[in-house]
Amino acid sequence: MPTDNGKSGDMPGLLLFGAGGHARVVADAVLRAPLARAIFASDRNDAVCTGELLPGIPMVPVAKALLLGRFHLHVAIGDNASRERECRAFGSERMQSIHHPAAVVSPWAHIGAGSFIAANAIVAPGARLGRGVIVNHGAIVDHDVEIGDFAHIAPAAVLGGGSRIGRAVLVGSGAVVQPRLVVTADVIIGSGSVVCRQIDMPGTWVGVPARRIL
Ligand SMILES: CC(C)(COP(=O)(O)OP(=O)(O)OC[C@H]1O[C@@H](n2cnc3c(N)ncnc32)[C@H](O)[C@@H]1OP(=O)(O)O)[C@@H](O)C(=O)NCCC(=O)NCCS
């Protein structure tokens, strides 16, 4: 299996790091594939570390979370730069990949540490995802696609077979990257846009065909 939602290994707990909407989406996925171990959540902002992220997942201040012992960690932050910063701060050795039980992930895909695959997303054989990648609800990552570290493929986006998406790219919701095209690092592709040619310059690209605006 490319990911196991943390069932393997001998670490007793899973820490979800983040308190926003994306963290609740990840928590929902984890709760639907129950684990026989403690799940808790935390955030840099102590003010939000009260109550529960979702029922059964207590929020604890980060200083306390770090004292709770050995745990797998998943940084559940949608923003690419913030997710990368937190993954680097914690170190990658205990990063846990998570996929929703309703995601379809090929056993012949490679999923990097700390990645998240949401409900109804498809990751086809030969796809290679880096570390800390998000493939959000209903997105399609076709065969042999490569995705760099800390990229985010937003809901219902489609990456054509053999396309290569650079590090920290955001492919907006419903956007399409046509097969075999290359998108360089640090690009934002607007929602609903269609990438019809290689993108070799960082910036914000929108429209059909996608053109650079920022
Ligand atoms: C592309 C995007 C980042 C631009 O945001 P922004 O920098 O705040 O830019 P603005 O909203 O000021 O728009 C700038 C121009 O681009 C146009 N534009 C913005 N998004 C566009 C899109 N997706 N398609 C076509 N045109 C778009 C605006 O109409 C505006 O045009 P104008 O200058 O002629 O008025 C944003 O619109 C977007 O699509 N974000 C992706 C959201 C997403 O899918 N997130 C994932 C959540 S899980």
Side-chain angles (χ1 to χ4, degrees), residues 136 152 154-155 172-173 188 190-191 193 204 206-207 213-214:
N136 225 320
H152 182 163
S173 49
I188 295 172
S191 49
S193 301
T204 301
V206 301
I213 55 163
L214 293 170

mmCIF file of all heavy atoms in Angstrom, residues 136 152 154-155 172-173 188 190-191 193 204 206-207 213-214, ligand 1:
data_model
loop_
_atom_site.group_PDB
_atom_site.id
_atom_site.type_symbol
_atom_site.label_atom_id
_atom_site.label_comp_id
_atom_site.label_asym_id
_atom_site.label_seq_id
_atom_site.Cartn_x
_atom_site.Cartn_y
_atom_site.Cartn_z
ATOM 1 N N ASN A 136 -6.592 17.128 -3.522
ATOM 2 C CA ASN A 136 -7.837 17.437 -2.811
ATOM 3 C C ASN A 136 -9.045 16.719 -3.422
ATOM 4 O O ASN A 136 -8.917 16.039 -4.442
ATOM 5 C CB ASN A 136 -8.013 18.966 -2.772
ATOM 6 C CG ASN A 136 -8.433 19.434 -1.400
ATOM 7 O OD1 ASN A 136 -9.250 18.777 -0.764
ATOM 8 N ND2 ASN A 136 -7.887 20.545 -0.958
ATOM 9 N N HIS A 152 -0.075 21.581 -4.201
ATOM 10 C CA HIS A 152 -1.476 21.379 -3.812
ATOM 11 C C HIS A 152 -2.307 21.298 -5.080
ATOM 12 O O HIS A 152 -2.344 22.249 -5.860
ATOM 13 C CB HIS A 152 -1.915 22.557 -2.938
ATOM 14 C CG HIS A 152 -3.322 22.466 -2.415
ATOM 15 N ND1 HIS A 152 -3.765 23.233 -1.359
ATOM 16 C CD2 HIS A 152 -4.388 21.724 -2.794
ATOM 17 C CE1 HIS A 152 -5.045 22.955 -1.105
ATOM 18 N NE2 HIS A 152 -5.446 22.049 -1.986
ATOM 19 N N ALA A 154 -5.890 21.234 -6.192
ATOM 20 C CA ALA A 154 -7.143 21.626 -5.539
ATOM 21 C C ALA A 154 -8.313 20.774 -6.044
ATOM 22 O O ALA A 154 -8.176 20.023 -7.022
ATOM 23 C CB ALA A 154 -7.386 23.119 -5.786
ATOM 24 N N PRO A 155 -9.479 20.905 -5.392
ATOM 25 C CA PRO A 155 -10.607 20.051 -5.752
ATOM 26 C C PRO A 155 -10.925 20.053 -7.245
ATOM 27 O O PRO A 155 -10.957 21.105 -7.889
ATOM 28 C CB PRO A 155 -11.765 20.660 -4.944
ATOM 29 C CG PRO A 155 -11.110 21.228 -3.733
ATOM 30 C CD PRO A 155 -9.789 21.758 -4.215
ATOM 31 N N GLY A 172 -5.276 25.308 -9.180
ATOM 32 C CA GLY A 172 -6.550 25.734 -8.611
ATOM 33 C C GLY A 172 -7.689 24.767 -8.912
ATOM 34 O O GLY A 172 -7.593 23.901 -9.799
ATOM 35 N N SER A 173 -8.779 24.964 -8.215
ATOM 36 C CA SER A 173 -9.903 24.033 -8.326
ATOM 37 C C SER A 173 -10.430 23.990 -9.764
ATOM 38 O O SER A 173 -10.589 25.024 -10.421
ATOM 39 C CB SER A 173 -11.018 24.435 -7.366
ATOM 40 O OG SER A 173 -11.306 25.803 -7.508
ATOM 41 N N ILE A 188 1.108 29.480 -9.543
ATOM 42 C CA ILE A 188 -0.300 29.345 -9.159
ATOM 43 C C ILE A 188 -1.111 29.295 -10.450
ATOM 44 O O ILE A 188 -0.961 30.173 -11.314
ATOM 45 C CB ILE A 188 -0.766 30.536 -8.297
ATOM 46 C CG1 ILE A 188 -0.022 30.558 -6.967
ATOM 47 C CG2 ILE A 188 -2.280 30.478 -8.069
ATOM 48 C CD1 ILE A 188 -0.283 31.812 -6.139
ATOM 49 N N GLY A 190 -4.875 29.467 -11.827
ATOM 50 C CA GLY A 190 -6.192 29.887 -11.359
ATOM 51 C C GLY A 190 -7.243 28.808 -11.531
ATOM 52 O O GLY A 190 -7.143 27.939 -12.407
ATOM 53 N N SER A 191 -8.270 28.905 -10.724
ATOM 54 C CA SER A 191 -9.337 27.913 -10.801
ATOM 55 C C SER A 191 -9.966 27.942 -12.196
ATOM 56 O O SER A 191 -10.133 29.008 -12.797
ATOM 57 C CB SER A 191 -10.389 28.182 -9.722
ATOM 58 O OG SER A 191 -10.772 29.531 -9.746
ATOM 59 N N SER A 193 -8.741 27.166 -15.002
ATOM 60 C CA SER A 193 -7.830 27.447 -16.115
ATOM 61 C C SER A 193 -7.410 26.158 -16.809
ATOM 62 O O SER A 193 -7.492 25.072 -16.233
ATOM 63 C CB SER A 193 -6.577 28.181 -15.604
ATOM 64 O OG SER A 193 -6.964 29.393 -14.971
ATOM 65 N N THR A 204 1.450 33.758 -11.453
ATOM 66 C CA THR A 204 0.040 33.367 -11.456
ATOM 67 C C THR A 204 -0.451 33.314 -12.894
ATOM 68 O O THR A 204 -0.309 34.288 -13.638
ATOM 69 C CB THR A 204 -0.791 34.372 -10.639
ATOM 70 O OG1 THR A 204 -0.290 34.392 -9.294
ATOM 71 C CG2 THR A 204 -2.257 33.991 -10.619
ATOM 72 N N VAL A 206 -3.726 32.310 -15.452
ATOM 73 C CA VAL A 206 -5.180 32.075 -15.453
ATOM 74 C C VAL A 206 -5.715 32.013 -16.871
ATOM 75 O O VAL A 206 -5.100 32.521 -17.817
ATOM 76 C CB VAL A 206 -5.954 33.189 -14.687
ATOM 77 C CG1 VAL A 206 -5.505 33.287 -13.250
ATOM 78 C CG2 VAL A 206 -5.839 34.525 -15.405
ATOM 79 N N GLY A 207 -6.895 31.430 -16.991
ATOM 80 C CA GLY A 207 -7.649 31.477 -18.240
ATOM 81 C C GLY A 207 -7.468 30.240 -19.102
ATOM 82 O O GLY A 207 -6.773 29.297 -18.762
ATOM 83 N N ILE A 213 -0.577 36.471 -15.352
ATOM 84 C CA ILE A 213 -1.101 37.795 -14.998
ATOM 85 C C ILE A 213 -0.286 38.459 -13.905
ATOM 86 O O ILE A 213 -0.350 39.665 -13.720
ATOM 87 C CB ILE A 213 -2.582 37.737 -14.552
ATOM 88 C CG1 ILE A 213 -2.794 36.741 -13.389
ATOM 89 C CG2 ILE A 213 -3.499 37.435 -15.728
ATOM 90 C CD1 ILE A 213 -4.101 36.936 -12.642
ATOM 91 N N LEU A 214 0.453 37.680 -13.117
ATOM 92 C CA LEU A 214 1.223 38.279 -12.001
ATOM 93 C C LEU A 214 2.589 37.617 -11.920
ATOM 94 O O LEU A 214 2.718 36.440 -12.226
ATOM 95 C CB LEU A 214 0.501 38.059 -10.666
ATOM 96 C CG LEU A 214 -0.831 38.768 -10.460
ATOM 97 C CD1 LEU A 214 -1.517 38.235 -9.207
ATOM 98 C CD2 LEU A 214 -0.601 40.277 -10.325
HETATM 99 C C1 LIG B 1 -5.684 33.071 -9.823
HETATM 100 C C2 LIG B 1 -5.920 33.646 -8.455
HETATM 101 C C3 LIG B 1 -4.850 33.168 -7.469
HETATM 102 C C4 LIG B 1 -5.850 35.159 -8.590
HETATM 103 O O1 LIG B 1 -6.098 35.760 -7.367
HETATM 104 P P1 LIG B 1 -5.610 37.258 -7.123
HETATM 105 O O2 LIG B 1 -4.119 37.327 -7.201
HETATM 106 O O3 LIG B 1 -6.247 37.732 -5.861
HETATM 107 O O4 LIG B 1 -6.108 38.062 -8.393
HETATM 108 P P2 LIG B 1 -7.472 38.830 -8.644
HETATM 109 O O5 LIG B 1 -8.627 38.146 -8.016
HETATM 110 O O6 LIG B 1 -7.237 40.275 -8.276
HETATM 111 O O7 LIG B 1 -7.638 38.711 -10.236
HETATM 112 C C5 LIG B 1 -6.732 39.327 -11.122
HETATM 113 C C6 LIG B 1 -7.327 39.227 -12.519
HETATM 114 O O8 LIG B 1 -7.348 37.860 -12.929
HETATM 115 C C7 LIG B 1 -8.695 37.440 -13.194
HETATM 116 N N1 LIG B 1 -8.817 36.095 -12.659
HETATM 117 C C8 LIG B 1 -8.651 35.710 -11.381
HETATM 118 N N2 LIG B 1 -8.807 34.382 -11.262
HETATM 119 C C9 LIG B 1 -9.091 33.932 -12.490
HETATM 120 C C10 LIG B 1 -9.359 32.642 -12.997
HETATM 121 N N3 LIG B 1 -9.349 31.581 -12.211
HETATM 122 N N4 LIG B 1 -9.614 32.526 -14.310
HETATM 123 C C11 LIG B 1 -9.622 33.608 -15.132
HETATM 124 N N5 LIG B 1 -9.359 34.856 -14.691
HETATM 125 C C12 LIG B 1 -9.105 35.017 -13.392
HETATM 126 C C13 LIG B 1 -9.568 38.445 -12.459
HETATM 127 O O9 LIG B 1 -10.850 38.525 -13.054
HETATM 128 C C14 LIG B 1 -8.774 39.691 -12.612
HETATM 129 O O10 LIG B 1 -8.948 40.189 -13.916
HETATM 130 P P3 LIG B 1 -9.000 41.808 -14.220
HETATM 131 O O11 LIG B 1 -7.650 42.330 -13.795
HETATM 132 O O12 LIG B 1 -9.254 41.876 -15.684
HETATM 133 O O13 LIG B 1 -10.110 42.332 -13.376
HETATM 134 C C15 LIG B 1 -7.304 33.226 -7.889
HETATM 135 O O14 LIG B 1 -8.368 33.891 -8.580
HETATM 136 C C16 LIG B 1 -7.535 31.721 -8.017
HETATM 137 O O15 LIG B 1 -8.074 31.207 -9.002
HETATM 138 N N6 LIG B 1 -7.093 30.996 -6.958
HETATM 139 C C17 LIG B 1 -7.210 29.551 -6.880
HETATM 140 C C18 LIG B 1 -8.189 29.232 -5.757
HETATM 141 C C19 LIG B 1 -8.210 27.748 -5.492
HETATM 142 O O16 LIG B 1 -8.587 26.950 -6.320
HETATM 143 N N7 LIG B 1 -7.786 27.401 -4.267
HETATM 144 C C20 LIG B 1 -7.754 26.031 -3.821
HETATM 145 C C21 LIG B 1 -8.585 25.912 -2.590
HETATM 146 S S1 LIG B 1 -8.542 24.277 -1.941
#
